Amino acid sequence: MMIGNDLLKGIMPFVATVEAGSFSAAAERLNLTSSAVSKSIARLEQRLGSRLFERTTRTLRLTDAGEAYYQTCQRVVNELSEAETVLAAQRIHAVGRLRVAVPMTFGRTHVMPLINDFCRDYPDLQINMTFADRFVDLFEENIDIAVRIGGPADYPASLGVRYLGNEQLVFCAAPDYLQRYGTPQIFDELQQHRAVAYERVDGTITPWRFMAADGRVASRTVNARLAFGDSEAQLSAVSAGLGIAQMATWLIREAEQAGRVKIILPQLMLDGLPLWLVWPRKKQLLPKVDALLKTFHDLVIR
């Protein structure tokens, strides 16, 4: 049901008159003339078909109908005031539901620690996290912020974008594997070793990439002994000494620090996929989105 402008205009002078005790006092409160307040209430009484005030030269008293109507109007005004307060708080404070989409492995290892701290700092927020390596349409799936590895460098004007750097690709193997089969010193020697590869969604194997003699990035097909469609499973196989893989440094960092894997051929390190922070631009001014964007300022790919 729609409320007409005349109805709302009539309620405010009426409530102000009841609370102030006279037309003149209500007029001063509303920054109107006494005549304007009196005429507004007269129109209200005419529309309702009931007298709201008993008027004398000295007093202004509510009729029974006026008293009942005032109680209703007061409740409506209070509810409107509370609604405005809530909306104002949402503009100032980070409240409500926040929907975030992240890549599966990177999301678990790098994004979740930031999200955990963020949730402690903003207890009034509700967080929904989507973990998926597929392309997530922010508008279709109502996502507030997404972290993407890879994707285009050019985004539409409807999206806000922050570039967070490129992943670094390195060759790695378990110390036990290198002890048994030796450590390759140049790229061509990799062909003599067992490869642990990454299998794409379409079933193809991700080739090994390297810097060619002419300075350009080249790729070579991998004759893989093992291929996995999950990077954590791939790392597990490498850590178990089953072969050599080319992987992102952010993925193997913990295993390397623990001594489970070792970087080899460091001279062949090169840039991998870019990391992007993406969000619908129209949501950027929402405090909840702005707060998470600030939290993600420390999100880097190493």
Side-chain angles (χ1 to χ4, degrees):
M1 177 180 177
M2 295 186 64
I3 299 177
N5 288 336
D6 289 341
L7 180 56
L8 289 176
K9 288 179 180 178
I11 286 176
M12 297 311 297
F14 169 67
V15 172
T17 299
V18 175
E19 294 178 350
S22 68
F23 292 149
S24 58
E28 185 175 350
R29 177 183 294 186
L30 298 174
N31 198 27
L32 297 171
T33 64
S34 296
S35 175
V37 172
S38 178
K39 289 179 180 178
S40 175
I41 292 176
R43 286 193 297 270
L44 179 62
E45 289 177 323
Q46 184 177 8
R47 186 171 69 247
L48 296 174
S50 298
R51 292 182 62 187
L52 300 175
F53 290 103
E54 293 287 353
R55 300 170 176 83
T56 68
T57 55
R58 294 186 178 183
T59 62
L60 193 65
R61 187 172 60 85
L62 283 171
T63 63
D64 290 342
E67 179 66 36
Y69 189 63
Y70 170 68
Q71 296 300 326
T72 300
C73 291
Q74 188 180 44
R75 185 174 66 253
V76 170
V77 170
N78 289 339
E79 289 177 355
L80 286 172
S81 178
E82 289 175 4
E84 288 191 5
T85 299
V86 170
L87 291 175
Q90 289 181 357
R91 291 193 298 270
I92 299 172
H93 304 292
V95 296
R97 187 176 299 277
L98 195 58
R99 300 182 185 277
V100 185
V102 296
M104 285 192 291
T105 302
F106 187 83
R108 288 193 292 266
T109 58
H110 285 62
V111 180
M112 275 309 300
L114 293 175
I115 288 291
N116 291 338
D117 291 339
F118 180 77
C119 289
R120 283 190 286 268
D121 292 337
Y122 296 93
D124 294 330
L125 274 174
Q126 296 171 279
I127 308 293
N128 283 57
M129 295 281 291
T130 297
F131 292 82
D133 288 334
R134 63 179 174 81
F135 177 84
V136 176
D137 188 305
L138 274 66
F139 296 102
E140 191 171 295
E141 300 186 42
N142 194 29
I143 300 296
D144 295 303
I145 299 179
V147 176
R148 287 179 179 170
I149 297 180
D154 295 325
Y155 280 87
S158 58
L159 291 176
V161 181
R162 184 187 299 165
Y163 169 68
L164 298 175
N166 275 64
E167 63 182 4
Q168 301 293 307
L169 297 178
V170 294
F171 290 99
C172 61
D176 174 64
Y177 174 89
L178 298 174
Q179 186 175 359
R180 284 183 288 126
Y181 298 102
T183 301
Q185 301 300 314
I186 59 174
F187 181 82
D188 287 340
E189 292 182 7
L190 287 171
Q191 302 300 313
Q192 305 165 19
H193 286 264
R194 302 181 180 190
V196 179
Y198 184 83
E199 183 178 80
R200 300 186 181 111
V201 176
D202 62 4
T204 60
I205 301 299
T206 301
W208 280 349
R209 301 173 67 226
F210 63 100
M211 191 70 70
D214 59 4
R216 292 185 295 180
V217 176
S219 61
R220 185 171 295 178
T221 302
V222 179
N223 183 21
R225 177 195 177 198
L226 298 169
F228 298 92
D230 179 84
S231 54
E232 289 180 287
Q234 183 187 16
L235 176 59
S236 177
V238 173
S239 300
L242 300 181
I244 293 176
Q246 186 178 42
M247 306 187 75
T249 53
W250 64 261
L251 180 60
I252 71 167
R253 183 72 67 202
E254 184 178 337
E256 182 199 10
Q257 292 173 346
R260 296 194 301 273
V261 301
K262 181 180 179 181
I263 293 177
I264 60 175
L265 300 168
Q267 71 275 17
L268 296 181
M269 179 186 293
L270 77 164
D271 284 346
L273 297 172
L275 180 70
W276 304 98
L277 200 57
V278 188
W279 63 92
R281 195 176 293 277
K282 66 180 181 180
K283 295 185 177 184
Q284 183 168 336
L285 295 180
L286 293 175
K288 62 181 181 179
V289 174
D290 181 63
L292 189 54
L293 287 175
K294 289 177 180 176
T295 296
F296 280 167
H297 185 271
D298 296 329
L299 184 62
V300 293
I301 191 164
R302 296 188 179 95

